[in-house]
Amino acid sequence: MLDVHPPHHAANTWRDFFIHIATICVGLLIAIGLEQSVEAIHHHHQRRELEVQLHDETQRNLELVQLNIAHLRAMRTWFDSAILAVNTAPLINGRISRSAMPPQPDSDTAIWTPSRTVWAVAKASGTVALLPENEAQVYARVDFEAEQLQTGEVEMGRATAPFGNIVRSWRGVPPAQLQFFTSAERIAVLNALTEASTGIDNMLGLELTESGACRGALNGAGSVDEIFHYIQNEAKPSAIR
């Protein structure tokens, strides 16, 4: 609050009056200038703190995404080899040996979801407005790609569900009954494997896109166009297949 105090003595002349007015104006300008300076320093500190938080969250997300990419590539390798093995296995009396499928890898590795906490809080509190427009657009794009990943996880779950259901149906079945696939079972397994492999490919593309966006932000990309350059470099078709 800025307090304006009345003069101790009445202004007896126009000269005294204008001196008092000028004194008040100068005092108000100084007070406003100091207040604005303090606020500007505070906003600068807030902006720097937000930039550090966004950078750190993006760095952690990039590391998680790289783990996801490695895991998805391993999964796709297994599904592709299973498709090839089941598709090329010789028929014996209308059946194929279940052992034609490669053993499933023993891995409990999960797909990690990138954190979006810092950006969400900054938007809710309004501190995003402290960022330069181009920087805000860059991190908005990174957050958008992270949001796409969450949707992609749901879609991949749907794509891999049919094969998961088949595997679960094998539990508790006597080993002797699981030695061979009938032709119908073979087709169902191939369809489920193919659908799962396609879902993994789609998810891998999303992970690579997020990786490119994160890497661009961390390397100081100054615009969304620069982010696209990083995305195109990482998510090119040869990187997916």
Side-chain angles (χ1 to χ4, degrees):
M1 294 293 292
L2 301 178
D3 296 325
V4 178
H5 300 284
H8 297 292
H9 305 287
N12 297 320
T13 66
W14 283 108
R15 181 175 178 276
D16 291 340
F17 173 77
F18 285 117
I19 287 174
H20 283 305
I21 292 297
T23 302
I24 291 172
C25 291
V26 171
L28 287 173
L29 290 173
I30 292 172
I32 291 171
L34 288 173
E35 185 179 38
Q36 292 298 314
S37 297
V38 170
E39 191 161 346
I41 292 171
H42 178 61
H43 285 170
H44 176 75
H45 175 73
Q46 282 184 305
R47 191 190 82 189
R48 289 297 305 143
E49 186 176 15
L50 176 58
E51 287 174 333
V52 169
Q53 291 174 347
L54 286 169
H55 181 279
D56 291 348
E57 184 176 58
T58 303
Q59 180 64 55
R60 290 192 298 271
N61 284 344
L62 178 60
E63 293 168 3
L64 290 180
V65 166
Q66 292 302 309
L67 291 174
N68 289 346
I69 290 170
H71 180 53
L72 287 168
R73 282 177 170 155
M75 287 176 62
R76 190 193 57 200
T77 297
W78 182 86
F79 275 100
D80 287 351
S81 63
I83 291 170
L84 179 63
V86 174
N87 205 31
T88 59
L91 284 171
I92 303 174
N93 297 325
R95 294 182 168 190
I96 63 167
S97 173
R98 184 173 176 273
S99 62
M101 284 187 62
Q104 288 184 263
D106 295 327
S107 175
D108 294 328
T109 304
I111 297 297
W112 299 94
T113 302
S115 170
R116 301 170 59 202
T117 304
V118 174
W119 182 255
V121 171
K123 283 179 64 179
S125 65
T127 54
V128 165
L130 299 174
L131 297 174
E133 184 177 356
N134 62 327
E135 188 175 2
Q137 289 176 348
V138 164
Y139 280 108
R141 186 68 197 192
V142 173
D143 182 71
F144 171 78
E145 299 301 346
E147 183 180 17
Q148 296 300 105
L149 273 184
Q150 292 180 336
T151 303
E153 288 175 20
V154 175
E155 294 300 321
M156 189 183 74
R158 290 173 181 164
T160 56
F163 181 71
N165 292 336
I166 289 174
V167 172
R168 282 189 288 274
S169 72
W170 293 340
R171 294 175 183 170
V173 178
Q177 297 180 29
L178 288 176
Q179 290 181 355
F180 296 95
F181 292 135
T182 65
S183 295
E185 289 171 337
R186 179 188 190 183
I187 292 172
V189 168
L190 279 173
N191 288 340
L193 288 170
T194 301
E195 185 176 353
S197 181
T198 300
I200 291 169
D201 269 356
N202 293 337
M203 188 65 188
L204 183 55
L206 292 173
E207 295 282 0
L208 288 166
T209 298
E210 171 70 354
S211 175
C214 287
R215 204 178 300 279
L218 292 172
N219 288 343
S223 67
V224 175
D225 286 342
E226 289 185 41
I227 288 289
F228 284 150
H229 173 74
Y230 279 93
I231 289 174
Q232 290 170 353
N233 187 53
E234 292 218 22
K236 52 192 175 186
S238 60
I240 299 173
R241 272 289 171 183

